[in-house]
Amino acid sequence: MISEKLQRARDFEARYGAYIPDGERPAFHVTGTVGWINDPNGFSCYQGEYHLFYQYHPYSNNWGPMHWGHVKTRDFIRWERLPAAMAPDTDADRDGCFSGSAIELADGRQMLVYTGVYETRRADGQVESFQQQCVAFGDGVNYEKYPGNPVLDGSDLPAGGSVLDFRDPKVWQDPDGTFYMVAGNRTPDGSGAIRLFESPDGTHWSYACTLDSSRNEYGRMWECPDFFPLDGQQVMLVSPQEMTAAGLEFHAGFGSIALMGRYDPAARRFARQRIQSIDYGTDFYAPQTLQSYDGRRIMIAWMQNWATTNCQPQGTRWFGQMTLPRELSLREGRLIQNPVRELENYRGHKVSYQDLLVTGETNLSGVSGRLMDLTVTVRPVDDRPSYQAFKIHLAKDGQRETLIRYKVANSTLRLDRTHSGFPYDIVNVRDFPVRPRDGAVKIRVVMDRYSLEVFVNDGEQAASMVIYTPLSAQSVSFEVVEGAAYIDVEHYSLNFGQEDAE
Ligand code: FRU
């Protein structure tokens, strides 16, 4: 049965989604049908396709009572819009359907597992917002919420676990049929803890253990956990609130980190060995992964930062976009990310330059646009430091540009969107260290109209950045500062059909 609230959301998106011309959105990054989106939810395989849901408030460009929006894809690049999947319309989730995940069941149904929120007013007038885990079952378009919701609430938590911060379940199933779920929770000292729960059937759940906790060291509350094996190790992804900056590794505020280590499922013990930032740009939060039909671990995230959501361009009917799905692997103990290989199917005209000696600033014939897959390798002349900095100017016109700068002296890469169409100043610059190989640095930039995602040295670092520069700014130039360097350039325009030809 479709509730009145869900029908209203579906009618609204059917009516107003069409008012946003495709050319005014990213071409291959997921946006909501209309209005606001945040976290990716339920990124999962279902009946031969990949489904993605998202935190959704269709009625405005701001966060509001959370619905789940819905899209699906076969190749992670071209997405088909589906009607909104859930609205906050039952007792267990009346004030919001918060983040969660999805799984295909043996009987062919799809199960959504999410956080139901309900608010109550205390005797002193304060509103408290309780969080509990709920499930819904459906066919890939329509979902019925389980009448026994919530399937987990505060009474299932170990002593001291917060009933107000208990959210974002990520579910998986072991080959023996047992379901597992990780969820974020807060302990009495205010810090985050990742709880593991198990269930024989998806509706009866019990607490198993606490896998890891922030101990107020890596941020405080940990949101949106994920937990999966990768290349012989175990990886936990979490999105900490209130991170403290640590050099160039973590920046202050909302971050996303990968904890890598060993997991002993029998003893239910996760021993973390290393921690790193997942993305070094300005806009990346709440990542979630799936294992693709061909065995790849693929991650998608909200390409946005909570701290800057009020800074929106005028006149748009959408806000918030996802990152490009990225293939994950481990190399030399680091999390490696590269764009899904399917992106290559959309490459159009290729332009390449080899061993180009550059001094000062130069444009290259055939290299421009706002839909591109560009790889540039820069290296010194004669194997010795021969220049101070190298810059790629993107989305450029007479007044605006977005800058990527490699600085030789301290081997840092900078993303700078100071002149990239924002109505007022927010965090515009991010620096992070990279590792040159024999003095060379390889920079891949995937640009989709209103964002760039940078992958350094075949995925050793990723950095994402949203921009709002008008689409008329299409120029790209390359600049070597104080000296000379060789560059190799490979540029592909990206094509998504007639309407996207640029
Ligand atoms: C993370 C988050 C989640 C929550 C959702 C609400 O961005 O705060 O913890 O479920 O957003 O929209």
Side-chain angles (χ1 to χ4, degrees):
M1 232 232 352
I2 301 195
S3 69
E4 217 172 285
K5 254 193 181 171
L6 183 58
Q7 193 56 52
R8 184 172 162 241
R10 288 182 169 190
D11 290 346
F12 189 87
E13 56 184 5
R15 174 144 187 219
Y16 295 107
Y19 281 82
I20 312 174
D22 274 349
E24 287 179 18
R25 305 168 176 269
F28 55 102
H29 287 71
V30 173
T31 52
T33 301
V34 57
W36 161 283
I37 72 168
N38 56 288
D39 314 354
N41 295 157
F43 188 39
S44 59
C45 301
Y46 184 62
Q47 294 185 352
E49 298 178 302
Y50 301 107
H51 283 246
L52 175 71
F53 304 81
Y54 46 85
Q55 290 285 278
Y56 188 31
H57 185 244
Y59 305 114
S60 76
N61 276 3
N62 299 310
W63 191 86
M66 278 291 112
H67 296 56
W68 275 34
H70 194 185
V71 286
K72 66 176 183 178
T73 184
R74 287 180 183 276
D75 72 354
F76 302 108
I77 303 292
R78 223 181 245 285
W79 300 85
E80 181 185 333
R81 292 192 183 280
L82 293 168
M86 291 198 288
D89 53 12
T90 66
D91 284 346
D93 62 18
R94 64 174 186 237
D95 293 304
C97 300
F98 275 19
S99 284
S101 51
I103 191 167
E104 179 163 6
L105 301 177
D107 64 10
R109 291 178 304 164
Q110 190 179 34
M111 179 170 73
L112 311 183
V113 185
Y114 67 102
T115 300
V117 179
Y118 70 95
E119 293 176 354
T120 57
R121 195 172 287 279
R122 289 193 322 216
D124 66 2
Q126 287 277 341
V127 172
E128 278 184 326
S129 173
F130 291 86
Q131 303 185 336
Q132 45 191 8
Q133 312 324 318
C134 298
V135 298
F137 299 94
D139 60 1
V141 179
N142 294 310
Y143 300 87
E144 288 285 343
K145 290 175 181 167
Y146 177 57
N149 280 339
V151 295
L152 278 170
D153 65 14
S155 64
D156 299 293
L157 288 167
S162 167
V163 295
L164 307 179
D165 286 296
F166 176 28
R167 59 182 175 271
D168 310 334
K170 171 73 198 263
V171 68
W172 71 93
Q173 197 174 14
D174 268 9
D176 73 359
T178 310
F179 291 90
Y180 292 94
M181 173 207 294
V182 281
N185 190 211
R186 205 189 273 271
T187 49
D189 69 354
S191 74
I194 301 308
R195 315 287 197 189
L196 178 72
F197 300 87
E198 65 182 316
S199 167
D201 55 10
T203 51
H204 300 87
W205 290 89
S206 52
Y207 171 71
C209 70
T210 297
L211 287 170
D212 205 343
S213 54
S214 72
R215 294 179 212 104
N216 283 324
E217 194 183 352
Y218 296 99
R220 287 170 67 82
M221 174 64 188
W222 277 358
E223 302 187 301
C224 302
D226 200 348
F227 192 59
F228 51 87
L230 185 69
D231 295 343
Q233 298 217 10
Q234 188 75 14
V235 177
M236 180 183 283
L237 307 181
V238 293
S239 292
Q241 296 178 314
E242 300 171 72
M243 286 274 285
T244 305
L248 296 178
E249 184 63 23
F250 308 123
H251 58 81
F254 295 92
S256 292
I257 56 175
L259 301 96
M260 291 156 285
R262 306 249 159 235
Y263 182 49
D264 177 349
R268 299 206 174 106
R269 261 208 18 202
F270 174 61
R272 96 158 80 121
Q273 292 163 329
R274 283 176 321 283
I275 296 191
Q276 81 173 72
S277 295
I278 303 174
D279 189 282
Y280 292 84
T282 47
D283 298 289
F284 186 96
Y285 199 66
Q288 197 174 79
T289 70
L290 59 68
Q291 185 164 25
S292 63
Y293 290 108
D294 59 1
R296 290 172 288 162
R297 181 58 61 172
I298 297 181
M299 176 181 72
I300 192 165
W302 185 37
M303 188 155 49
Q304 183 56 48
N305 191 313
W306 274 111
T308 56
T309 52
N310 284 334
C311 194
Q312 302 190 4
Q314 291 291 310
T316 52
R317 291 296 306 266
W318 63 274
F319 181 79
Q321 55 182 308
M322 300 301 171
T323 63
L324 185 59
R326 302 174 183 175
E327 296 181 12
L328 299 184
S329 58
L330 292 180
R331 196 164 70 217
E332 296 167 27
R334 283 191 67 84
L335 186 72
I336 303 298
Q337 300 163 65
N338 281 296
V340 278
R341 60 195 66 169
E342 287 85 346
L343 182 65
E344 291 160 31
N345 298 333
Y346 294 86
R347 284 174 168 174
H349 186 60
K350 175 181 177 178
V351 174
S352 66
Y353 297 84
Q354 231 80 57
D355 299 323
L356 204 68
L357 185 65
V358 180
T359 55
E361 188 173 349
T362 180
N363 292 89
L364 295 177
S365 164
V367 180
S368 69
R370 293 286 286 272
L371 280 169
M372 71 170 93
D373 186 354
L374 168 73
T375 301
V376 183
T377 304
V378 57
R379 57 178 178 281
V381 179
D382 295 336
D383 294 332
R384 58 185 165 74
S386 64
Y387 67 104
Q388 286 196 356
F390 171 66
K391 295 179 180 174
I392 309 174
H393 305 256
L394 297 146
K396 189 177 159 169
D397 60 14
Q399 303 154 31
R400 290 162 290 223
E401 65 169 8
T402 304
L403 205 61
I404 299 173
R405 184 201 68 181
Y406 171 60
K407 191 170 168 187
V408 178
N410 57 3
S411 304
T412 52
L413 203 72
R414 164 173 290 188
L415 267 56
D416 183 346
R417 62 175 178 194
T418 306
H419 305 286
S420 305
F422 285 85
Y424 53 86
D425 274 347
I426 51 172
V427 173
N428 285 328
V429 179
R430 200 73 98 200
D431 288 301
F432 57 96
V434 299
R435 295 195 308 176
R437 293 184 202 142
D438 300 325
V441 178
K442 185 172 172 188
I443 303 164
R444 180 171 176 193
V445 185
V446 177
M447 190 173 232
D448 182 4
R449 297 193 175 125
Y450 298 110
S451 70
L452 55 154
E453 288 171 88
V454 175
F455 301 87
V456 185
N457 291 337
D458 301 304
E460 217 165 69
Q461 267 104 10
S464 310
M465 185 168 255
V466 166
I467 59 171
Y468 294 126
T469 318
L471 291 180
S472 54
Q474 298 257 331
S475 263
V476 175
S477 65
F478 304 90
E479 182 183 358
V480 173
V481 180
E482 306 270 324
Y486 283 118
I487 64 172
D488 298 334
V489 176
E490 194 173 276
H491 173 271
Y492 297 90
S493 55
L494 293 169
N495 293 334
F496 302 92
Q498 204 73 56
E499 77 276 19
D500 298 310
E502 275 173 13

